[in-house]
């Protein structure tokens, strides 16, 4: 079997993303959880590049790795500042949950399998076209996403700092 | 076809994390991973040919919708973590099985 560059990229990205996700799910250390999540989110950006969406990949790095991951780090630092060292993460219901997770995966794979026949050779949309469609056909969605972000920010401030002194 | 399996492995790992983690930080991180792998499946499926439909996916639309999905997930994470911090301040509990009251 001859490997081309696309295959190598595919298997490399698969290995990195699954390793990151497995670390985040199975580790008992809070910092390793954050690190695994970071590896996973960066590999998702790599997957977007693999599928030809360079703009979405950059947005993934900015929004997730630059935003959400830092947010989670702040939350961990805020919550566990007083105790001696970081606490151990624990899990439970391992077997039942594994059955549910594998069941869902098998269900989706078997239902999608027969409809997917092959991969399109085309590359993803040009960045300028994405901008045009966000301000054209998807303008209502774009505005709604903006309002949602504003509402989420205001809600976060109100929930965390809302107490009167 | 292969990427569907990879995406669903990622999704089921994240689902396993949501179901088993006792700490809310872990649950929130796993929810982010579920959203990420769902977006990944969506983007990947736009690059495939199907027998069910004759519609050719437009990569421009995929990019726009993926961006909006990303923003929605980020907003959810912000509110979720804010709720977690507020809860920890009020009750000093950050584990799912320690929270047994609805009253604040």
């Amino acid at each position: 079997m001859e490997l081309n560059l696309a295959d190598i990229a595919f298997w490399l990205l698969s290995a990195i993303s699954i390793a990151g996700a497995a670390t985040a799910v199975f580790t008992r250390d809070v910092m390793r959880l954050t690190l695994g999540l970071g590896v996973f989110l960066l590999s998702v950006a790599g997957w977007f590049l693999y599928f030809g969406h360079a703009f979405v990949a950059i947005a993934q790095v900015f929004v997730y790795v630059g935003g959400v991951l830092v947010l989670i780090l702040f939350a961990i630092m805020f919550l566990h500042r007083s105790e001696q060292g970081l606490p151990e993460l624990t899990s439970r219901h391992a077997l039942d949950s594994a059955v549910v997770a594998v069941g869902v995966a098998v269900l989706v794979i078997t239902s999608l399998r027969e409809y997917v026949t092959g991969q399109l050779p085309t590359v993803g949309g040009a960045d300028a076209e994405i901008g045009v469609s966000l301000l054209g056909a998807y303008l209502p969605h774009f505005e709604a996403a903006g309002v949602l972000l504003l509402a989420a920010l205001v809600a976060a401030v109100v929930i965390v700092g809302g107490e009167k002194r | 076809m292969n990427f569907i399996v990879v995406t669903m492995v990622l999704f089921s790992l994240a689902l396993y994390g949501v179901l088993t983690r006792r700490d809310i930080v872990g649950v929130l991180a796993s929810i982010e991973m579920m959203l990420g792998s769902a977006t990944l499946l969506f983007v990947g499926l736009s690059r495939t040919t199907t027998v069910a439909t004759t519609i050719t996916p437009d990569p421009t639309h995929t990019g726009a919708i993926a961006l909006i999905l990303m923003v929605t997930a980020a907003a959810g994470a912000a509110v979720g973590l804010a709720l977690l911090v507020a809860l920890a301040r009020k009750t000093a509990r950050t584990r799912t099985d320690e929270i047994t009251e609805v009253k604040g």
Side-chain angles (χ1 to χ4, degrees):
Chain A
M1 191 179 122
E2 199 176 323
L3 278 179
N4 58 14
L5 210 57
D7 283 338
I8 295 173
F10 180 89
W11 293 114
L12 203 64
L13 279 171
S14 304
I16 294 173
S17 53
I18 289 174
T23 308
V25 168
F26 292 114
T27 184
R28 301 173 74 86
D29 186 272
V30 180
M31 280 301 137
R32 288 200 185 139
L33 179 142
T34 319
L35 194 67
L37 184 68
V39 169
F40 171 81
L41 294 173
L42 277 174
S43 75
V44 168
W47 277 112
F48 287 149
L49 272 182
Y50 174 81
F51 289 123
H53 290 279
F55 183 67
V56 183
I58 293 170
Q60 167 84 10
V61 172
F62 281 167
V63 172
Y64 267 108
V65 185
V68 174
L69 199 63
V70 174
L71 209 61
I72 287 180
L73 266 178
F74 268 132
I76 290 171
M77 293 301 181
F78 183 82
L79 292 178
H80 304 304
R81 59 185 170 177
S82 57
E83 292 161 41
Q84 53 276 31
L86 293 166
E88 237 181 30
L89 295 173
T90 48
S91 303
R92 53 177 200 166
H93 301 311
L95 190 66
D96 332 7
S97 308
V99 170
V100 172
V102 171
V104 169
V106 169
L107 197 71
V108 175
I109 290 169
T110 46
S111 56
L112 281 178
R113 194 187 46 177
E114 37 191 302
Y115 296 106
V116 176
T117 50
Q119 199 146 335
L120 294 174
T122 50
V123 291
D127 306 343
E129 283 171 27
I130 291 179
V132 167
S133 81
L134 273 178
L135 292 178
Y138 287 102
L139 186 61
H141 310 69
F142 185 67
E143 292 291 340
V147 172
L148 179 71
L149 264 186
L150 180 67
L153 277 178
V154 174
V157 171
V158 169
I159 291 168
V160 174
E163 279 176 44
K164 288 202 176 77
R165 296 184 185 198
Chain B
M1 175 56 215
N2 277 338
F3 83 89
I4 298 179
V5 176
V6 173
T7 321
M8 285 319 293
V9 167
L10 293 173
F11 184 85
S12 57
L13 272 172
L15 178 60
Y16 178 82
V18 171
L19 293 174
T20 54
R21 282 293 192 203
R22 285 178 71 214
D23 297 75
I24 302 180
V25 173
V27 175
L28 280 171
S30 302
I31 289 176
E32 289 305 310
M33 294 203 296
M34 281 174 81
L35 280 164
S37 33
T39 312
L40 199 58
L41 184 62
F42 174 76
V43 170
L45 279 178
S46 78
R47 285 283 318 281
T48 55
T49 51
T50 57
V51 286
T53 59
T54 50
I55 304 167
T56 315
D58 186 342
T60 309
H61 292 216
T62 313
I65 294 171
L67 281 175
I68 290 167
L69 282 175
M70 213 178 279
V71 168
T72 316
V79 175
L81 287 168
L83 282 171
L84 170 62
V85 170
L87 185 79
R89 266 185 172 181
K90 210 160 198 167
T91 63
R93 294 171 190 160
T94 54
R95 287 187 169 164
T96 49
D97 47 359
E98 289 170 348
I99 303 156
T100 52
E101 298 164 5
V102 181
K103 198 176 165 219

